[in-house]
């Protein structure tokens, strides 16, 4: 009652007398910290605001994700990597996405861990089947990391000690060899890998005390917390978790479904605009259905739909795979197949870029192939009109990725508005929509004021903004960032926690320029930093209107956002104990 916090007492009894020697704030597990905070609110000792302020956001992951049980000791660590998505997993090794899917489909199947050099969009079926991911390459914002956080699965990337040989079915870790089907355990909260089966503690996502803390956090949050959601399932999870809308829907993730990929590839391989439009016409109803489901799920809440962003080669098979198939086709003298594969090989080589992350992607696709933009905008607005006719309230936000200049945005905004007008005339009805830009390039941050003239909102894509500002490849930087942190050059990975001095300065400057030019412009953050508590505190301090993060990271982000506004020191921690003699 005096210290308003759980206390750890030291005492002794001498000659029948009790001596209280010392008291200090008790060290608490995550579950205990949450339970005690709720109990003290119930007793009237502290306010709900104080209770929220006392909980370390890291406690959320500890309670809501599985953890390895080290009560019987910690086994030998066989590899270490970047803890890219929290939690733990114990499962059998699968060395390819196909192997992971096949193993998980077996009767009475054991959990599967997908182990690979690195993952790509083609691996999504195996990632959906696996319980966790381990990659030799990548980093905190690599494909495996982002997908894992979106799925709420654990992931360790950049485990330099592993060598994956899927052709031989072998995984080498140091001097040990593992085969597909062998057991391994991942502690993705620390980046450690263990051989065999370590006991696993289940997550407690239904913890009633945690739910009360999170409910209070949402009420005290000074800014909105949205979710990055690409599917209706993600959107439903986000809404159930208290998200204030979708801050980023990556439309390209809808293209990788098996029934859609052939049409996407036909569009990419098209040699004329007419052929490209024909392929896109088959994708239009599929995209429209996707958007309609999102708008229904998020009715009355904003949904930000990002136009196609990745380079087109990501939708095509690897050149090596095509060349292997070509060798087999030539051996079988199958002329038709040979011609198809030769054409595909030539297109893959044509689309190959030395640095694809700085290449033909983002809004550059919409400028060179405006028919792609036309299809997507048509699908978005037709879906919204249909859903509105059903009695729902879609709030439509169309976002253009990788904008570098005001001139780009002006041209693209005109294209979007022209398509919208055509849709409204054809449908005989109209609906409100807003257009925004992603600020992912240093030039866009420097010219943000001019870009703001052509949009209603902007959202900082901090993954690419960090990559472009530092000149670090976010997929390869783990090879040297560890050395930077070991030597004290960096205190933290800039892809995990925002670099305030550099990237943060660009963000602050951009916000000042945009507010000066257009005071009412809405400003958000949709990069992975939106799920990091230290970064959230920074974003709140510079005046953004909302942040957006993966659905699995929403609870932690909501708690961090509630703590973002500075509180008096006496509210953030229980009173410190003191030495007392009786």
């Amino acid at each position: 009652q005096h210290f308003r916090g759980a206390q750890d007492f030291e005492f002794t009894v001498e000659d029948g007398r009790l001596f209280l020697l010392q008291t200090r704030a008790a060290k608490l597990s995550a579950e205990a910290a949450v339970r005690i905070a709720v109990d003290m609110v119930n007793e009237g000792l502290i306010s709900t605001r104080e209770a929220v302020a006392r909980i370390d956001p890291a406690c959320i992951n500890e309670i809501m994700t599985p953890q390895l049980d080290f009560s019987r000791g910690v086994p030998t660590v066989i590899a270490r990597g970047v803890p890219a998505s929290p939690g733990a997993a114990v499962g059998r090794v699968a060395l390819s996405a196909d192997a992971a899917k096949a193993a998980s489909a077996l009767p009475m199947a054991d959990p599967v861990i997908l182990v690979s050099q690195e993952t790509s969009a083609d691996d999504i079926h195996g990632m959906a089947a696996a319980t966790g991911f381990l990659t030799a390459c990548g980093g905190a914002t690599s494909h495996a990391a982002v997908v894992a956080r979106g799925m709420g699965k654990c992931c360790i990337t950049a485990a330099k000690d592993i060598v994956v040989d899927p052709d031989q079915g072998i995984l080498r870790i140091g001097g040990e060899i593992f085969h597909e089907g062998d057991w391994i355990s991942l502690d993705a909260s620390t980046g450690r890998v263990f051989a065999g089966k370590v006991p696993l503690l289940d997550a407690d996502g239904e913890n009633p005390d945690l739910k009360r803390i999170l409910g209070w956090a949402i009420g005290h949050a000074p800014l909105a917390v949205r979710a990055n959601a690409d599917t209706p399932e993600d959107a439903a999870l986000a809404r159930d978790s208290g998200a204030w809308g979708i801050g980023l829907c990556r439309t390209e993730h809808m293209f990788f479904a098996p029934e859609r990929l052939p049409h996407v590839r036909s569009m990419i391989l098209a040699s004329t605009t007419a052929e490209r439009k024909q392929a896109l016409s088959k994708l239009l109803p599929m995209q429209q259905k996707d958007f309609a489901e999102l708008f229904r799920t998020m009715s009355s809440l904003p949904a930000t739909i990002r136009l196609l962003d990745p380079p087109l080669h990501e939708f095509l098979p690897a050149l090596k795979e095509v060349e292997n198939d070509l060798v087999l086709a030539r051996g079988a003298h199958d002329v038709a197949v040979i011609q198809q594969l030769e054409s595909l090989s030539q297109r893959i080589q044509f689309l190959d870029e030395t640095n694809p992350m700085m290449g033909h992607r983002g809004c550059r696709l919409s400028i060179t192939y405006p028919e792609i933009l036309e299809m997507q905008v048509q699908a978005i607005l037709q879906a919204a009109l249909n859903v509105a006719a059903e009695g729902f309230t879609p709030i439509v936000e169309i976002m253009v990725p990788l904008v570098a200049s005001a001139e780009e945005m002006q041209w693209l905004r005109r294209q979007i508005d022209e398509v919208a007008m055509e849709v409204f005339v054809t449908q005989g009805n109209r609906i409100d929509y807003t257009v925004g830009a992603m600020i992912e390039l240093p030039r866009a941050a420097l010219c943000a004021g001019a870009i703001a003239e052509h949009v209603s909102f902007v959202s900082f894509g901090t993954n690419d903004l960090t990559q472009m500002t530092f000149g670090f490849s976010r997929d390869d930087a783990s090879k040297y960032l560890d050395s930077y942190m070991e030597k004290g050059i960096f205190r933290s990975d800039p892809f995990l926690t925002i670099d305030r001095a550099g990237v943060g300065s660009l963000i602050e400057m951009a916000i000042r320029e945009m507010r000066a030019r257009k005071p009412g412009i809405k400003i958000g953050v949709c990069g992975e930093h939106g799920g990091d508590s230290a970064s959230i505190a920074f974003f709140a301090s510079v005046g953004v209107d909302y942040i957006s993060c993966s659905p699995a990271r929403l609870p932690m982000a909501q708690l961090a956002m509630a703590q973002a506004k500075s509180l008096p020191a006496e509210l953030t921690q229980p009173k410190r104990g003191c030495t007392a003699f009786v």
Side-chain angles (χ1 to χ4, degrees):
Q1 288 181 341
H2 177 77
F3 292 113
R4 299 186 313 120
Q7 295 293 299
D8 177 7
F9 281 96
E10 291 185 11
F11 66 92
T12 188
V13 177
E14 184 177 325
D15 295 332
R17 296 179 64 196
L18 170 65
F19 293 85
L20 300 181
L21 306 178
Q22 182 174 247
T23 180
R24 54 180 169 262
K27 294 181 179 180
L28 306 175
S29 69
E31 196 169 357
V34 168
R35 172 74 175 273
I36 289 169
V38 170
D39 283 351
M40 288 188 172
V41 170
N42 293 340
E43 293 174 23
L45 287 175
I46 61 175
S47 66
T48 58
R49 188 170 178 80
E50 290 175 83
V52 167
R54 288 184 177 189
I55 306 302
D56 183 344
C59 291
I60 304 298
N61 289 332
E62 189 174 331
I63 294 174
M64 296 190 70
T65 59
Q67 304 291 322
L68 296 183
D69 182 1
F70 297 124
S71 59
R72 299 178 184 176
V74 179
T76 302
V77 176
I78 58 173
R80 293 182 184 272
V82 173
S85 183
V90 178
R92 294 186 181 275
V93 170
L95 299 178
S96 69
D98 290 342
K101 184 176 181 179
S104 67
L106 294 173
M108 304 294 289
D110 290 318
V112 174
I113 293 176
L114 176 60
V115 185
S116 60
Q117 285 297 116
E118 57 186 329
T119 63
S120 68
D122 286 340
D123 297 322
I124 198 70
H125 60 292
M127 300 176 83
T131 190
F133 318 135
L134 172 64
T135 67
C137 303
T141 54
S142 64
H143 179 267
V146 172
V147 171
R149 288 193 285 266
M151 291 181 171
K153 298 183 178 183
C154 83
C155 176
I156 297 174
T157 61
K160 303 180 184 66
D161 295 331
I162 75 171
V163 178
V164 182
D165 187 346
D167 294 334
Q168 297 294 322
I170 291 174
L171 168 64
R172 292 185 176 87
I173 304 180
E176 297 188 59
I177 293 179
F178 297 83
H179 298 84
E180 284 197 309
D182 288 346
W183 288 88
I184 61 171
S185 302
L186 308 182
D187 179 9
S189 298
T190 63
R192 295 178 296 176
V193 183
F194 305 94
K197 297 171 67 174
V198 178
L200 190 66
L201 300 172
D202 292 333
D204 188 11
E206 298 301 314
N207 185 302
D209 296 318
L210 180 58
K211 286 188 172 183
R212 291 191 69 187
I213 289 285
L214 293 175
W216 296 333
I218 293 171
H220 290 302
L223 303 176
V225 179
R226 299 193 194 182
N228 299 342
D230 309 327
T231 66
E233 294 77 16
D234 285 347
L237 174 61
R239 182 147 197 160
D240 290 344
S241 299
W244 292 31
I246 293 176
L248 174 64
C249 172
R250 308 173 183 91
T251 56
E252 60 269 12
H253 285 183
M254 302 170 177
F255 288 165
F256 286 105
E259 70 277 9
R260 302 182 186 192
L261 197 53
H263 301 308
V264 177
R265 289 178 173 173
S266 295
M267 180 266 291
I268 296 170
L269 296 173
S271 55
T272 67
T273 300
E275 290 178 356
R276 197 156 31 251
K277 285 186 174 182
Q278 184 177 5
L280 287 167
S281 68
K282 297 177 181 178
L283 288 169
L284 173 62
M286 301 176 187
Q287 284 253 282
Q288 185 172 319
K289 180 182 177 183
D290 293 329
F291 297 139
E293 291 183 20
L294 283 177
F295 289 140
R296 290 188 192 99
T297 302
M298 304 307 291
S299 179
S300 76
L301 293 174
T304 303
I305 313 295
R306 184 180 73 182
L307 301 181
L308 189 64
D309 180 47
L312 295 180
H313 78 271
E314 289 194 7
F315 298 98
L316 299 177
L319 181 59
K320 181 179 178 181
E321 178 184 335
V322 173
E323 290 176 342
N324 288 340
D325 291 343
L326 191 53
V327 170
L328 295 175
R330 285 170 176 159
H333 305 290
D334 192 329
V335 177
V337 173
I338 290 171
Q339 290 177 342
Q340 290 176 352
L341 290 173
E342 285 179 341
S343 175
L344 180 57
S345 174
Q346 290 170 3
R347 187 61 172 162
I348 292 172
Q349 292 180 63
F350 173 77
L351 291 172
D352 182 56
E353 296 178 297
T354 303
N355 193 339
M357 292 304 292
M358 299 176 69
H360 194 184
R361 54 170 288 223
C363 68
R364 300 158 196 171
L365 290 172
S366 296
I367 290 171
T368 52
Y369 303 124
E371 51 273 17
I372 298 177
L373 174 146
E374 292 166 10
M375 182 277 287
Q376 290 200 295
V377 172
Q378 184 180 349
I380 292 168
L381 295 177
Q382 286 182 173
L385 285 167
N386 293 343
V387 167
E390 296 169 7
F392 296 94
T393 308
I395 301 178
V396 183
E397 298 179 345
I398 300 172
M399 186 160 67
V400 179
L402 212 71
V403 171
S405 70
E407 292 79 9
E408 272 178 331
M409 194 61 237
Q410 183 180 24
W411 190 90
L412 291 163
R413 175 63 187 264
R414 186 165 56 247
Q415 297 298 115
I416 292 169
D417 290 342
E418 287 177 2
V419 175
M421 188 57 63
E422 291 175 8
V423 170
F424 297 156
V425 169
T426 302
Q427 298 292 316
N429 201 353
R430 63 180 300 118
I431 195 167
D432 290 335
Y433 67 95
T434 56
V435 177
M438 279 191 81
I439 304 295
E440 306 170 82
L441 302 173
R443 191 185 193 280
L446 292 167
C447 302
I451 292 172
E453 299 286 350
H454 306 289
V455 296
S456 300
F457 70 94
V458 301
S459 185
F460 288 97
T462 54
N463 301 350
D464 271 346
L465 187 56
T466 298
Q467 174 173 241
M468 300 296 188
T469 302
F470 273 101
F472 290 164
S473 166
R474 70 190 201 193
D475 294 318
D476 303 312
S478 60
K479 296 174 182 176
Y480 45 84
L481 279 181
D482 287 348
S483 297
Y484 274 62
M485 287 183 282
E486 288 169 5
K487 292 175 172 60
I489 298 171
F490 287 171
R491 290 186 177 181
S492 59
D493 184 335
F495 290 105
L496 290 176
T497 299
I498 200 75
D499 160 49
R500 295 193 179 198
V503 179
S505 293
L506 283 173
I507 292 173
E508 285 188 88
M509 182 193 61
I511 291 174
R512 282 197 305 271
E513 290 294 318
M514 288 188 287
R515 298 285 190 213
R517 292 275 194 106
K518 185 178 280 190
I521 191 169
K522 185 164 58 178
I523 299 174
V525 173
C526 62
E528 288 300 315
H529 294 94
D532 172 68
S533 57
S535 302
I536 288 170
F538 168 75
F539 298 137
S541 72
V542 297
V544 304
D545 297 301
Y546 68 90
I547 61 166
S548 189
C549 64
S550 302
R553 305 180 84 185
L554 270 171
M556 189 280 298
Q558 289 160 341
L559 181 62
M561 183 59 78
Q563 298 172 348
K565 291 297 183 182
S566 58
L567 293 172
E570 63 269 19
L571 297 190
T572 59
Q573 293 294 333
K575 290 181 181 179
R576 292 178 63 84
C578 63
T579 300
F581 294 94
V582 177

